[in-house]
Amino acid sequence: PADRALEQGLAERGLLDRLQRVDHQLAHVASAVFTSGFDHCLGVSLDGYGSGAAGSVYSWEAGKLSLLGRIPFPHSLGAFYQRATTALGFKALRHEGKVLGLAAFGDPAILHDRVRARFEDHGDFFRFKSAHDILIERGLARRHRREDVAAAYQQVLEEVTTRFLKPFLEHTGHTRVALAGGVASNVKLNQRIAEIPGVAHVG
C-alpha cells in the first residue's frame, strides 16, 4: 500500500519516471560513506532488516563501492537488541538508548555466557540462534535485574560485531570505518569498533 501511494503521488506530479529503487543496506552504507569525508574506508550497515538482509559490508575505494559481504536475515544484531529492549519494558525502535544507559549499571558477567551462546560463527557472518524467540529475553528479564540483562546484551553486541568486522578490516587493510543503520546509533559499540587494532577513524 505504501508503495502504491508513493507511485500514485509521483505519477500525479509527473515524476514517476524519476523513481529509482535502491537496496536498503546499500543506501545505508552510501549515506555513511558519502558524508564521511573518507577517500577510502570500510562501509558498514548494521540494522534490523532491509532488502532481505540485516546488514552489509562494502569497501569504498577510488570512488567505488564494492560489496564484501551481507548478513542474511534473521541473523540480525538489530533484532537481537530490539528483543532485549522490549523484554526490559521499553519500546523497540525508540528506546534502545535506554538499554545502553541501563547497561552501565549492570554486571555483564552474570548472563554473558548464556547470551553469547545465542550466536555461533558461520563462515563470513554470525548465526543468531532462536532469532524469533522473544521468550528467551522475557525469561531473562523476569529472573534477573534489568541492569544485568542490559549489560550482557550490550557486551555481546560489542563482541559479536567487532569479531565480525575484524576479518574485513584485515582483508582490505582499511583503517577507517563508516557506519550506518540503526545499530550504529549505539555509541558504546562505535567506541569498541574504534578500539579494534588498526582502526584509526570511525565515522
Side-chain angles (χ1 to χ4, degrees):
D3 280 353
R4 286 197 296 272
L6 171 65
E7 291 175 2
Q8 181 178 351
L10 290 173
E12 290 171 356
R13 293 162 178 79
L15 299 172
L16 185 58
D17 62 337
R18 296 178 63 180
L19 175 64
Q20 295 187 39
R21 299 188 184 279
V22 181
D23 177 86
H24 182 94
Q25 306 301 335
L26 174 58
H28 270 317
V29 169
S31 73
V33 166
F34 295 153
T35 60
S36 67
F38 301 154
D39 54 3
H40 56 86
C41 67
L42 199 70
V44 180
S45 169
L46 298 170
D47 67 359
Y49 173 81
S51 297
S56 62
V57 181
Y58 285 78
S59 176
W60 166 247
E61 198 158 8
K64 182 180 178 181
L65 279 170
S66 302
L67 179 64
L68 301 177
R70 286 169 64 84
I71 304 170
F73 189 80
H75 308 296
S76 168
L77 291 169
F80 166 75
Y81 211 81
Q82 287 170 19
R83 293 184 192 289
T85 301
T86 300
L88 291 172
F90 302 118
K91 292 183 180 179
L93 303 178
R94 286 188 60 189
H95 294 159
E96 280 75 11
K98 294 183 178 181
V99 178
L100 171 60
L102 199 62
F105 299 94
D107 181 357
I110 292 173
L111 291 170
H112 171 273
D113 291 350
R114 292 177 61 183
V115 176
R116 182 65 178 86
R118 299 192 67 192
F119 289 93
E120 61 184 21
D121 294 332
H122 189 74
D124 59 355
F125 66 97
F126 47 84
R127 181 172 180 268
F128 178 20
K129 298 182 287 185
S130 303
H132 295 296
D133 189 356
I134 187 64
L135 296 179
I136 295 175
E137 282 83 10
R138 289 177 180 172
L140 292 176
R142 280 197 305 269
R143 294 189 296 272
H144 298 274
R145 294 174 64 240
R146 299 169 80 207
E147 294 86 349
D148 295 334
V149 174
Y153 273 77
Q154 177 64 34
Q155 186 175 77
V156 170
L157 174 73
E158 296 168 15
E159 290 178 1
V160 172
T161 303
T162 53
R163 183 178 177 86
F164 169 65
L165 292 180
K166 283 178 182 178
F168 291 106
L169 289 163
E170 293 168 0
H171 172 71
T172 61
H174 285 311
T175 60
R176 300 172 178 179
V177 182
L179 296 169
V183 179
S185 299
N186 190 300
V187 294
K188 183 85 177 303
L189 172 63
N190 295 352
Q191 179 184 349
R192 290 291 174 261
I193 294 172
E195 292 171 350
I196 294 175
V199 173
H201 300 283
V202 171

